[in-house]
Amino acid sequence: MAAWDLSVTVEDLGPDTPPVTLSVTSDLHVGGVILKLVEKTQIKRDWSDHALWWEQKQRWLLRTAWTLEKYGIHADARLVFMPQHKPLKLGLPNGITLRLRACFSNPVFQTVIGICRMLNIRHPEELSLLRPLEEKKKKKDKDSTVEIYDLTEVPLSSVSRPCLYNGMPAHFADSPQMEAIYKMLSVTQPPPAPEVIAKQYRPASVVDKAHINGRWLDSSRCLMQQGIQENDKLWLRFKYFAFYDIEPKYDVVRLTQLYEQARWAILLEDIDCTEEEMMLFGALQYHISKVSQSEPQLLSSSAAMDDLESALQSLEVKMEGESSSASEMLENMTAPELNDYLKIFRPKRLTLKGYKQYWFKFQDTSISYFKSKEESIGEPIQQINLKGCEVAPDVNMAAQKFLIRLLIPAPEGMNEVYLRCENEQQYAQWMAACRLASKGKSLADSSYQSEIQSIHSFLAMQKTNSGSHGNAAASDESINTHSLVSPRYHKKYKAKQLTPRILDAYQNVAQFSLTEAVMRFLQIWQALPDFGLSYVVVRFKGSRKDEVLGIAPNRLIRIDLGVGDVVKTWRYNNMKQWNVNWDIKQMAIEFEGNVNIAFSCVTADCKIVHEFIGGYIFMSTRSREKSDTLNEELFHKLTGGHEAL
């Protein structure tokens, strides 16, 4: 075969060095090219991380056994020989920037797994990388450069679980500096100053919120293919709001970063909450920052004790599950029911009819209602099956308003029903019943009582203790309330008006430990009606205007841009298939009951939407038995589209 010249740029020789010319034949494999190249440079070093990058085609030549002919490489190919791992600046949810070595040649999904392994974050499939917002450069800001913590010296290990030493990965136990960095990852940051909050970008509308989702990187392509260069800055964020198996003992960094992401979402009004909830979030932040300064960090004693403890714990769970007495079994066979007078309201557009009172009966997983108690022997006015429905609380303790918002699945979308309860006791029972029914469980389920209990304790945190905060306020001058609430409340209330309200709520949470407080904060965040929604502006087929598509862990929501109303909801478990026409960038989804929808994406690439839907379906396939191994192939099958294959 005829020999020809191939020129390769060697990155390590510096930008001004001319390319190295090699004499090759088309049947030479890539490994052979690398061998010739290394011999010609005459530099003795470890080249094992280096590979060839083909500039025109934007692809890595990672299959070293493939020949140049098989790759389709000719004399005009511009090849660069460079390391596959390069430094990257990474902004974390808690605002800290790290510089670490990341893989530029693997799909982003694997790169994120590697980063999370280094930082000791379990379940990396829930996170991803996105391009940061363009920060406006001001002349004054030149000196206020962000401090960057360097982790580039950390060796990249291939083990799935890092070896823990004193509760932290061994590479962080090497030096006091590294230990300090790990502490910053695993300890919550103090509340930000009000001016810092005010400077941050705040989305003013759903469309603003939709723009952020256009910046996610594609999980099936590598960093180089997406134009990311060495030392560029990216953000690491939780992308899929389906958090699996949170274990405070092993998830110190994961929990801290999740709390920080939730806290910023609330402070920057990325997610809506009521004034009561904002005061409670403020109180919890205040408590968390107070406790995290005094409480020693959750670093566990020794690995052997950990293993023993977890073995005992799982044994305890098993034994609890097995021992059920005869009386308990009898109880389960005669399923309990709930009966009571409640008020119901069906919000339809442009109707102002109020709530009407009926006699309600809760049996198995459905609610029936009758005109009165006496008529409850006959046929009900309506029976509503709650399996697969959505349940959202709408409670205001001060006004004694106890509403349960139900979204009931129907072929043409979702039907909305509001139930109004008289008091806290009634609300806790019916709310717990609705939550269980939505998961397909009846009132006989063993978790019913504990669900009622957790609703009571949740409401207790929102109660105000009048008269009890006088002394607390006096002793607590250090509280900077504007650091704990979103800018809307900075304008609405003076700090001295907010202080008693936050301290009031603080009375209800002051007894929590650090872990409990963080978990509570996340629980309340997850109970907000808009939790877990990622927005994209789309144009539905046959429509002449832009609308918003909300993507949630279990459903898609069509939102009218003008009024912000939910028009339709489709659940993933009714989905038969979804396809993308990559040429015209249109997504088509088919649901049960002959429901078909199609839309093109305006603010994000349709690959991003495709990945969100496939990603959430992937998240729902995770199970306890397989929790340690990630089925990467399935993830790429569900999210990759035609390009991944």
Side-chain angles (χ1 to χ4, degrees), residues 159 161-165 168-171:
V159 271
R161 274 250 175 105
C163 187
L164 295 188
Y165 174 83
M168 61 182 146
H171 52 257

Side-chain angles (χ1 to χ4, degrees), residues 419-592:
L419 298 181
R420 189 170 197 139
C421 302
E422 284 302 305
N423 52 43
E424 187 184 326
Q425 185 56 38
Q426 191 186 48
Y427 168 78
Q429 287 178 337
W430 285 80
M431 185 66 176
C434 291
R435 276 190 187 156
L436 288 184
S438 71
K439 295 175 194 152
K441 297 175 180 174
S442 75
L443 298 175
D445 194 86
S446 56
S447 59
Y448 179 53
Q449 287 307 324
S450 63
E451 187 66 56
I452 292 179
Q453 219 29 63
S454 82
I455 292 169
H456 275 307
S457 69
F458 187 68
L459 294 175
M461 290 196 288
Q462 295 187 32
K463 282 187 185 144
T464 52
N465 315 350
S466 52
S468 65
H469 59 248
N471 51 2
S475 66
D476 243 308
E477 288 306 316
S478 62
I479 180 169
N480 183 354
T481 49
H482 283 172
S483 295
L484 305 169
V485 295
S486 68
R488 185 192 319 177
Y489 298 100
H490 303 183
K491 296 189 187 92
K492 196 170 174 185
Y493 298 109
K494 292 192 172 75
K496 60 171 188 268
Q497 292 171 296
L498 286 171
T499 304
R501 292 185 63 185
I502 289 180
L503 288 172
D504 236 352
Y506 170 65
Q507 302 289 316
N508 300 319
V509 300
Q511 73 288 356
F512 291 149
S513 72
L514 179 59
T515 310
E516 273 178 321
V518 169
M519 293 297 274
R520 260 322 141 84
F521 189 97
L522 294 174
Q523 264 174 343
I524 303 168
W525 172 56
Q526 289 176 348
L528 296 175
D530 294 346
F531 166 75
L533 282 179
S534 306
Y535 302 101
V536 182
V537 178
V538 297
R539 174 77 60 96
F540 278 91
K541 195 176 177 179
S543 170
R544 300 174 99 173
K545 57 178 189 181
D546 288 349
E547 288 171 81
V548 170
L549 184 73
I551 307 166
N554 57 356
R555 65 198 191 281
L556 294 174
I557 302 163
R558 183 175 183 171
I559 300 164
D560 184 314
L561 247 181
V563 270
D565 282 359
V566 172
V567 183
K568 285 267 165 66
T569 303
W570 304 280
R571 301 182 67 81
Y572 299 149
N573 55 12
N574 294 337
M575 201 191 270
K576 283 166 96 173
Q577 60 168 341
W578 80 100
N579 301 305
V580 182
N581 181 334
W582 298 102
D583 300 326
I584 57 169
K585 301 251 186 252
Q586 190 181 64
M587 283 197 79
I589 308 177
E590 187 188 336
F591 295 94
E592 284 165 10

Side-chain angles (χ1 to χ4, degrees), residues 44-62:
K44 291 266 187 289
R45 56 162 294 179
D46 177 4
W47 294 100
S48 60
D49 188 44
H50 282 58
L52 289 168
W53 166 256
W54 186 359
E55 247 179 36
Q56 294 105 313
K57 293 276 188 197
Q58 292 282 297
R59 68 183 288 193
W60 288 89
L61 311 181
L62 296 176

Side-chain angles (χ1 to χ4, degrees), residues 584-625:
I584 57 169
K585 301 251 186 252
Q586 190 181 64
M587 283 197 79
I589 308 177
E590 187 188 336
F591 295 94
E592 284 165 10
N594 288 333
V595 177
N596 292 298
I597 63 170
F599 54 83
S600 52
C601 306
V602 181
T603 53
D605 194 283
C606 59
K607 170 68 167 78
I608 290 175
V609 178
H610 172 54
E611 208 172 286
F612 259 117
I613 296 172
Y616 274 128
I617 291 169
F618 173 77
M619 300 297 150
S620 68
T621 64
R622 297 178 292 179
S623 68
R624 275 263 174 256
E625 305 83 75

Side-chain angles (χ1 to χ4, degrees), residues 35-149:
L35 200 63
K36 279 188 166 207
L37 198 59
V38 170
E39 281 169 3
K40 203 154 182 188
T41 54
Q42 293 183 328
I43 300 173
K44 291 266 187 289
R45 56 162 294 179
D46 177 4
W47 294 100
S48 60
D49 188 44
H50 282 58
L52 289 168
W53 166 256
W54 186 359
E55 247 179 36
Q56 294 105 313
K57 293 276 188 197
Q58 292 282 297
R59 68 183 288 193
W60 288 89
L61 311 181
L62 296 176
R63 300 194 165 159
T64 48
W66 278 25
T67 61
L68 295 175
E69 189 175 25
K70 190 162 183 183
Y71 264 124
I73 288 172
H74 304 294
D76 61 350
R78 288 199 302 276
L79 300 183
V80 186
F81 188 53
M82 58 176 159
Q84 297 175 57
H85 287 83
K86 301 172 172 219
L88 190 68
K89 289 188 196 121
L90 197 67
L92 298 184
N94 65 348
I96 285 173
T97 303
L98 301 173
R99 190 159 166 269
L100 44 75
R101 280 192 159 345
C103 184
F104 275 65
S105 60
N106 278 340
V108 163
F109 187 70
Q110 280 176 327
T111 302
V112 172
I113 292 175
I115 291 171
C116 289
R117 197 175 286 153
M118 184 194 293
L119 303 180
N120 195 20
I121 297 175
R122 295 190 319 142
H123 297 294
E125 68 276 11
E126 294 163 2
L127 297 98
S128 193
L129 298 171
L130 78 164
R131 299 170 199 274
L133 278 169
E134 293 299 313
E135 284 160 10
K136 292 191 179 75
K137 291 262 186 292
K138 291 194 188 126
K139 282 181 183 162
K140 279 183 252 174
D141 286 1
K142 271 186 187 153
D143 31 281
S144 63
T145 44
V146 183
E147 187 166 353
I148 295 174
Y149 300 93

